[in-house]
Amino acid sequence: MVAKKSLFNAADLEEIKLRISEISPQSERKWGKMNAAQMFRHCDKILQIGIGKIILPKIFPVVKWIGMFTKFEMKIFNNGIPPNMPTFAEVITTENCNFEKSKSLLLATLDEFVARGLKNNLLSEHPLFGKMTQQDWGFMEYKHLHHHLKQFGV
């Protein structure tokens, strides 16, 4: 069985930061619509959900059940996120973003997310995925960042 990576594992966190550093403004996406700066901003927003800085709306129970099942499936099978998945409007990034500023904000939010997570100071519930433990947050956020870094070939 493949070990599940987590942002709360120092080696996995360092791997993510290294991969972020390998992306340039000229990096081309393999799918989707975002450029690299927009992807950084989107990932920053996703991390802010766990910290409580971005509040997502409540969703229909059936959709939440699908989200909870998806989280369960990802944990059991260590699945990734498929390309072009829909997301909440609050974290969609279509505006022009400054590459260096977006990258810097992402790295700062990543450090804040990890610091809070290591103190068990993240939200205990996600609108889509349901109840979240520290382990869930570390795993799911690693998977999200991994997904988008793969989108740009790193």
Side-chain angles (χ1 to χ4, degrees):
M1 176 182 241
V2 175
K4 291 181 179 76
K5 295 193 173 193
S6 170
L7 294 180
F8 302 126
N9 175 306
D12 298 337
L13 176 62
E14 200 53 42
E15 170 217 321
I16 288 291
K17 288 182 174 183
L18 177 64
R19 290 168 65 194
I20 289 170
S21 75
E22 292 174 2
I23 293 180
S24 76
Q26 293 76 35
S27 294
E28 293 189 28
R29 63 185 176 260
K30 294 182 176 186
W31 69 82
K33 297 176 184 173
M34 295 183 288
N35 62 35
Q38 291 169 325
M39 179 273 291
F40 285 156
R41 187 71 189 108
H42 166 74
C43 290
D44 175 54
K45 290 176 182 179
I46 294 291
L47 288 166
Q48 289 183 46
I49 295 167
I51 296 169
K53 290 183 177 179
I54 291 182
I55 308 299
L56 298 177
K58 294 196 183 298
I59 57 175
F60 291 109
V62 171
V63 176
K64 185 168 185 171
W65 183 86
I66 293 168
M68 291 167 48
F69 179 78
T70 300
K71 178 181 84 170
F72 174 77
E73 180 184 35
M74 286 176 69
K75 287 170 60 176
I76 296 298
F77 298 109
N78 204 15
N79 291 346
I81 301 168
N84 298 312
M85 287 290 293
T87 192
F88 288 89
E90 291 78 3
V91 296
I92 292 174
T93 304
T94 57
E95 67 272 15
N96 286 330
C97 300
N98 175 281
F99 180 84
E100 290 303 329
K101 182 178 179 185
S102 296
K103 180 178 177 180
S104 178
L105 288 170
L106 170 59
L107 291 170
T109 302
L110 181 56
D111 287 341
E112 181 181 0
F113 176 88
V114 170
R116 285 176 166 233
L118 292 173
K119 294 178 184 171
N120 257 336
N121 192 17
L122 296 171
L123 296 182
S124 61
E125 182 99 9
H126 186 283
L128 179 62
F129 299 124
K131 294 201 182 305
M132 295 285 283
T133 65
Q134 178 213 30
Q135 292 79 18
D136 291 337
W137 280 113
F139 172 71
M140 297 294 282
E141 293 290 3
Y142 175 90
K143 286 290 191 179
H144 184 258
L145 286 162
H146 174 69
H147 165 78
H148 284 293
L149 294 170
K150 274 186 8 182
Q151 179 185 12
F152 285 85
V154 298

